[in-house]
Amino acid sequence: MHAALVYLQITNLLMVILDIYTWIILAYCLITMAISFGVVNPQSNRFIQSLAEILARLVEPVLQPIRNILPPTGMMDFSPLILLLAIQYGIPFILKSIFRAFFLSQG
């Protein structure tokens, strides 16, 4: 039973990290929308420029493979939505399935 507790702690830590990454994705989406709609100008505001670059470096490597799979949709980019859905529903489902397979089957 000790291994199950270790697995649950690791799973909880992973979920906290994914929750933080979810907020990073949402911040990236908001800042890119604000820049594209002209609400903020990154050329005149160095903080916004730096923030956008940091967020892009954190999010773009994960979004690019999703964009390569999705068909082109014109101006709409659905890759952040797909990534958020995978983080919120796909990864917890996989982790629960692993837990059930390894620990609950041992009886």
Side-chain angles (χ1 to χ4, degrees):
M1 199 62 171
H2 180 53
L5 291 176
V6 171
Y7 177 80
L8 288 175
Q9 291 296 326
I10 292 171
T11 301
N12 286 339
L13 178 64
L14 180 62
M15 294 309 297
V16 168
I17 292 169
L18 288 174
D19 284 341
I20 293 169
Y21 194 66
T22 297
W23 286 105
I24 291 171
I25 295 166
L26 292 173
Y28 174 73
C29 291
L30 289 174
I31 199 164
T32 54
M33 283 193 323
I35 290 171
S36 66
F37 289 135
V39 176
V40 293
N41 185 1
Q43 282 74 28
S44 65
N45 191 336
R46 301 220 359 119
F47 174 74
I48 295 295
Q49 182 181 14
S50 299
L51 183 62
E53 288 175 8
I54 291 169
L55 292 173
R57 288 183 184 188
L58 291 171
V59 175
E60 281 297 327
V62 181
L63 291 180
Q64 196 56 46
I66 298 170
R67 287 186 185 127
N68 293 339
I69 295 171
L70 292 176
T73 56
M75 295 291 291
M76 294 297 294
D77 183 16
F78 291 107
S79 58
L81 177 65
I82 301 297
L83 180 58
L84 289 173
L85 288 172
I87 289 172
Q88 294 298 313
Y89 298 107
I91 293 174
F93 176 76
I94 292 169
L95 292 174
K96 287 177 187 175
S97 298
I98 291 171
F99 180 77
R100 279 190 221 114
F102 284 114
F103 298 109
L104 296 182
S105 65
Q106 293 175 357

